[in-house]
Amino acid sequence: MTMGMIVGNRGFFPDHLPKTGREEMIQALQKAGIDVVTLTTEESKYGAVETHEEAKRLRGAVPLEGRADRPA
């Protein structure tokens, strides 16, 4: 199973929260046998979404073509 994960940050929370929260969630999901699709730390600050532009980057992370649950 693969799950998409959005780590949100409004820019005024302490930086350690999205950083450590993202790391902890990825570890927990992977431990449960779930592959995680999320922004990398190279794509945004700490891999968190702060802007609409960063959110749109997630859209291209998983191709929708050929999936039975989504029209092509």
Side-chain angles (χ1 to χ4, degrees):
M1 174 191 299
T2 301
M3 176 183 275
M5 182 177 76
I6 299 172
V7 178
N9 185 21
R10 306 234 344 160
F12 54 81
F13 294 116
D15 286 342
H16 74 276
L17 294 176
K19 180 181 186 296
T20 58
R22 178 184 178 279
E23 293 166 353
E24 290 172 10
M25 285 302 300
I26 289 173
Q27 288 176 3
L29 291 168
Q30 289 177 338
K31 185 177 179 181
I34 300 170
D35 294 323
V36 182
V37 176
T38 189
L39 288 179
T40 67
T41 55
E42 290 80 31
E43 292 173 308
S44 68
K45 186 176 179 180
Y46 304 116
V49 174
E50 291 184 356
T51 67
H52 186 243
E53 289 302 313
E54 290 169 344
K56 291 192 300 188
R57 292 179 194 154
L58 285 167
R59 187 175 183 187
V62 179
L64 300 179
E65 299 82 23
R67 288 181 43 190
D69 61 331
R70 294 291 189 137

